[in-house]
Amino acid sequence: MGIFSARKLKQKSKKKRNANKTSNQQQATTHVSGIVKEMINIHVKSPNSGIKTCVKVELCKNKKEVLAFVPCDGGVLNLDENDSVLLEKKKKKDVTNCHYFVIKFNHICLKDFCNNKEKYFRDRCYSGPG
């Protein structure tokens, strides 16, 4: 390291920064599948008061455990342990450490299921007379 080495140091640090960005972009995905491990109640931050129910999910690709928020009213009641879920990467600002939303469970879209519960159960579970 000489007196005139500032330019070389700047170039090295710039290369390191660019290398880190490309490696992070390759790992980033928007949708991830996983398996439900347990239900957790979380207190939300100050502007909203209450308890939100989240799900602890083990991701299939790297076996990490993450928190996922279930968006619909009563959506958590339909989820059981060891259900397969599809997660979307979104942040819920008032819930800490929750970076994922549940989109599907057991290959059923959660919003469609919550909006048409009676129709879903009538079509799938009711066998009819005879």
Side-chain angles (χ1 to χ4, degrees):
M1 300 288 186
I3 298 172
F4 303 106
S5 63
R7 180 184 293 143
K8 199 170 194 176
L9 290 171
K10 281 173 101 175
Q11 289 174 350
K12 280 185 181 180
S13 66
K14 193 172 184 180
K15 283 182 184 178
K16 283 183 185 178
R17 264 186 275 139
N18 290 338
N20 288 339
K21 284 181 186 176
T22 55
S23 65
N24 289 339
Q25 289 172 356
Q26 291 170 354
Q27 294 174 357
T29 57
T30 55
H31 291 77
V32 184
S33 62
I35 297 172
V36 176
K37 290 299 173 188
E38 62 178 305
M39 311 284 185
I40 298 173
N41 294 327
I42 295 178
H43 295 279
V44 295
K45 288 185 187 175
S46 61
N48 303 329
S49 61
I51 298 173
K52 303 239 179 178
T53 307
C54 294
V55 185
K56 190 176 270 191
V57 178
E58 182 180 310
L59 301 180
C60 291
K61 69 175 188 178
N62 55 9
K63 306 299 183 204
K64 285 186 179 178
E65 285 193 351
V66 296
L67 280 179
F69 178 72
V70 184
C72 297
D73 290 337
V76 179
L77 302 174
N78 305 316
L79 289 172
D80 295 323
E81 289 186 8
N82 299 323
D83 278 351
S84 63
V85 291
L86 182 69
L87 306 175
E88 184 179 13
K89 192 163 189 172
K90 274 190 198 174
K91 266 193 177 177
K92 184 81 174 155
K93 291 186 179 178
D94 57 349
V95 181
T96 56
N97 297 329
C98 186
H99 301 291
Y100 293 92
F101 272 65
V102 175
I103 300 173
K104 290 184 177 183
F105 72 99
N106 294 336
H107 306 292
I108 302 167
C109 184
L110 189 66
K111 287 187 179 179
D112 293 343
F113 180 78
C114 289
N115 293 337
N116 304 319
K117 280 184 188 175
E118 300 89 18
K119 181 184 174 192
Y120 176 80
F121 282 118
R122 196 178 330 118
D123 293 346
R124 300 282 178 154
C125 302
Y126 181 67
S127 60

